[in-house]
Amino acid sequence: MLENKQQPNYIGGQAVIEGVMMRGKKMYAMAVRNPEGGITIEKKEWGGLGRKGLFRLPIFRGVAAFVDSLVTGTRILMRSAEIAGEDWTEEAEPSKFEKFLQEKLGDRMNDIIIYCSVGFSLILGMLLFFLLPVWLGNFFKTMVPTWALGVIEGLIRIAIFLLYLFGISRMKEIHRVFQYHGAEHKTINCFESEKELTVENVIPCTRLHKRCGTSFLLFVMIISMVVFFFVRTDDFLLRLVTRIVLVPVIAGISYEVIRWAGNSNSKLVALISYPGLCLQKITTAEPDPDQIETAIAAMKGVLEDEPE
C-alpha cells in the first residue's frame, strides 16, 4: 500500500522563558518578550556536532542532536531569562566565591556554568530514570523471568516520567512555558499548512506536533523497553551498566523514529505517534495572542535567513 507522505520539513523549536526559539538547518532565532512589552529577537548559527563526519550518519546524528539540544537549549534558556528581566544575578551582590570564579575564568564562566548544568541534568536524569527503575525492578527478580525485568523497569520509568510531568505542570511558571510550547507548535503547524503566518491563522491550528521533544522522550522510554528485552541479566550492577551504556544508542534510534514519523502521514505513524500526542496535552497549553505573536516573530526570524 502506498504511503501518504507530506513534504519534509526541518523547522524545530523550543519554548523558553517568555518566548520561543525556532531552529532551521543552519541557524536559530529566539524571540522573547522583554520587560517593556516588546519582542527582542536574537539570531545565531546552529553549530554543534550534527554536521560533522560520523555524526551525519543515521543513529549517530540522533546522539549529536541530543547532546546539541542539551547544551544549546540550556544556553538559550539562560539567555531568555536575561532578556525577560528575570536575571537575578545582576541585582544580587556577587559572593566572594563568585568574584573568585569571575577573576579566574573570565568570559569562559558562562560556558562552564552551562556545561556544569548539563552535566548535573544528565546525572540527575540517570539517577531518576535509570538507577531508580533498575533498583525498584530488582525487587521483582525472584517473581518474574529475567526477560520480564526490562519490561517492568520500562513501565516504572514511564510512571516516574508521567508523575514528573504532572507535578511540574501544576507550577504557575511552568504553565507559562507550556503556553509558549503550545504557541511554538501552533506556529509550526500553520507554516507546514502553507498558511500565512498571522495570529488569526495560527490560533485555530493544533498545539500538538509529531516531532515534539515530549514525544521523543516517550519514544526513548518505549524503545528502551524493546532493547532491554534482549539485553538480559539478573545481576543488578551489570543491568545498571548496560542501561547507562546503551542510552546513546536508544537516543539515536528514537531520533530516527521521530524523524521518520514527522515526515509521514501513514496510519502506522498515526498509531505510534498517538501516545506522544496525548502526552503533549500536558506539556502544552493554549497560548494567548501575545505569545503566538512571539512565536511568529521567531519563525519569521529563521525564514528570513533560510527562505528555502
Side-chain angles (χ1 to χ4, degrees):
M1 181 175 64
L2 292 175
E3 187 179 276
N4 180 24
K5 293 185 177 180
Q6 64 184 34
Q7 184 68 24
N9 178 43
Y10 300 102
I11 296 288
Q14 173 186 337
V16 296
I17 306 300
E18 290 302 321
V20 171
M21 178 274 286
M22 292 289 188
R23 176 176 60 83
K25 287 185 176 181
K26 301 175 183 177
M27 54 82 65
Y28 70 82
M30 177 175 65
V32 179
R33 283 283 174 185
N34 55 47
E36 291 74 33
I39 300 176
T40 299
I41 301 175
E42 290 189 353
K43 301 181 184 181
K44 285 190 178 181
E45 184 178 350
W46 182 269
L49 302 172
R51 301 195 299 270
K52 299 178 181 178
L54 187 67
F55 294 105
R56 296 172 62 92
L57 301 176
I59 305 299
F60 293 99
R61 63 188 176 191
V63 177
F66 178 67
V67 174
D68 287 346
S69 294
L70 282 175
V71 175
T72 306
T74 303
R75 180 181 286 111
I76 289 171
L77 276 173
M78 293 176 65
R79 178 58 184 151
S80 67
E82 293 177 9
I83 297 173
E86 298 185 16
D87 184 23
W88 60 87
T89 57
E90 293 182 358
E91 301 176 1
E93 180 68 23
S95 66
K96 292 182 178 180
F97 180 66
E98 289 173 329
K99 291 179 180 178
F100 171 78
L101 289 178
Q102 188 65 52
E103 291 175 1
K104 294 295 182 181
L105 302 176
D107 294 337
R108 295 180 301 160
M109 184 172 176
N110 283 340
D111 286 338
I112 292 175
I113 290 174
I114 289 170
Y115 287 119
C116 287
S117 299
V118 170
F120 176 76
S121 299
L122 284 173
I123 292 172
L124 184 61
M126 292 293 184
L127 291 174
L128 188 59
F129 295 109
F130 287 91
L131 178 59
L132 183 57
V134 172
W135 179 70
L136 292 175
N138 203 50
F139 288 104
F140 297 89
K141 185 170 65 174
T142 59
M143 307 178 194
V144 298
T146 303
W147 62 263
L149 289 176
V151 177
I152 292 174
E153 291 170 18
L155 294 175
I156 294 173
R157 191 174 295 113
I158 292 174
I160 293 173
F161 181 54
L162 293 176
L163 288 173
Y164 170 78
L165 287 182
F166 181 77
I168 65 172
S169 68
R170 314 300 293 179
M171 301 168 61
K172 182 180 178 180
E173 295 81 3
I174 298 299
H175 180 73
R176 281 197 63 79
V177 175
F178 285 176
Q179 283 183 295
Y180 277 107
H181 191 191
E184 172 219 330
H185 284 186
K186 279 174 170 282
T187 302
I188 292 176
N189 282 322
C190 181
F191 170 71
E192 292 179 345
S193 299
E194 299 183 349
K195 298 177 182 177
E196 184 182 358
L197 290 173
T198 65
V199 173
E200 292 74 18
N201 286 342
V202 171
I203 286 176
C205 292
T206 176
R207 70 177 198 263
L208 312 180
H209 199 285
K210 290 183 291 186
R211 293 197 312 272
C212 176
T214 305
S215 296
F216 170 78
L217 291 175
L218 188 60
F219 274 131
V220 166
M221 295 182 186
I222 294 174
I223 290 173
S224 69
M225 291 175 64
V226 177
V227 173
F228 296 151
F229 175 83
F230 296 99
V231 182
R232 305 175 185 179
T233 174
D234 57 2
D235 182 83
F236 174 78
L237 290 178
L238 185 57
R239 210 162 65 245
L240 179 61
V241 170
T242 57
R243 274 39 176 175
I244 294 175
V245 169
L246 288 172
V247 166
V249 177
I250 294 168
I253 296 173
S254 302
Y255 175 84
E256 298 302 326
V257 172
I258 201 167
R259 181 185 174 96
W260 164 67
N263 293 322
S264 172
N265 285 326
S266 70
K267 292 182 179 180
L268 175 61
V269 166
L271 179 64
I272 65 175
S273 298
Y274 182 73
L277 294 176
C278 290
L279 201 56
Q280 288 176 43
K281 293 180 180 180
I282 299 178
T283 61
T284 64
E286 285 296 331
D288 60 37
D290 286 345
Q291 292 167 328
I292 292 175
E293 184 183 15
T294 306
I296 292 174
M299 175 66 83
K300 289 183 176 180
V302 172
L303 297 178
E304 285 174 358
D305 287 14
E306 296 189 24
E308 68 277 6

